[in-house]
C-alpha cells in the first residue's frame, strides 16, 4: 500500500496492479482449486454469466477430464 506524498494517479495505478496480480493468481490456480471444491471468483462476476460457483467447478472438472482423455490418445 502506498502512503504519504504519492500522487493520486500513482496510487490508482498501484491498486489496479494489485488487483491484476490477484486475478492472475486466481486464474492460474483455477483448475487445481476446482479439484478441491474451491472457487475464488466473485459470485457477482459469475452471476453476470448465469453461473454459480458450483457450475464453475463442474465445468473446470469437465474440462480437466476432457484434457486428460485427449492426452492419452
Amino acid at each position: 500500500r502506498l502512503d504519504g506524498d504519492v500522487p493520486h494517479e500513482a496510487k490508482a495505478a498501484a491498486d489496479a496492479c494489485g488487483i491484476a496480480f490477484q486475478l492472475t493468481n486466481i486464474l492460474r490456480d483455477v483448475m487445481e482449486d476446482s479439484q478441491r471444491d474451491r472457487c475464488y471468483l466473485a459470485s457477482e462476476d459469475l452471476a453476470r454469466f448465469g453461473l454459480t460457483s458450483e457450475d464453475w467447478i463442474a465445468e473446470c472438472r469437465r474440462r480437466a477430464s476432457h484434457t486428460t482423455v485427449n492426452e492419452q490418445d
Side-chain angles (χ1 to χ4, degrees):
R1 181 168 164 93
L2 296 173
D3 292 317
D5 293 333
V6 178
H8 173 72
E9 295 81 11
K11 287 181 183 180
D15 287 343
C17 283
I19 291 169
F21 293 143
Q22 258 185 321
L23 290 173
T24 299
N25 285 333
I26 289 168
L27 294 174
R28 184 190 64 207
D29 298 334
V30 87
M31 296 302 267
E32 181 180 333
D33 291 336
S34 70
Q35 297 305 312
R36 296 181 174 146
D37 288 329
R38 297 178 184 159
C39 177
Y40 295 106
L41 299 172
S43 57
E44 297 85 14
D45 293 336
L46 292 170
R48 286 190 301 171
F49 297 97
L51 299 170
T52 64
S53 59
E54 291 82 10
D55 296 331
W56 179 261
I57 290 168
E59 180 62 18
C60 289
R61 287 181 174 175
R62 186 191 71 76
R63 288 177 183 238
S65 66
H66 179 74
T67 300
T68 302
V69 168
N70 285 341
E71 288 175 355
Q72 293 175 1
D73 292 340

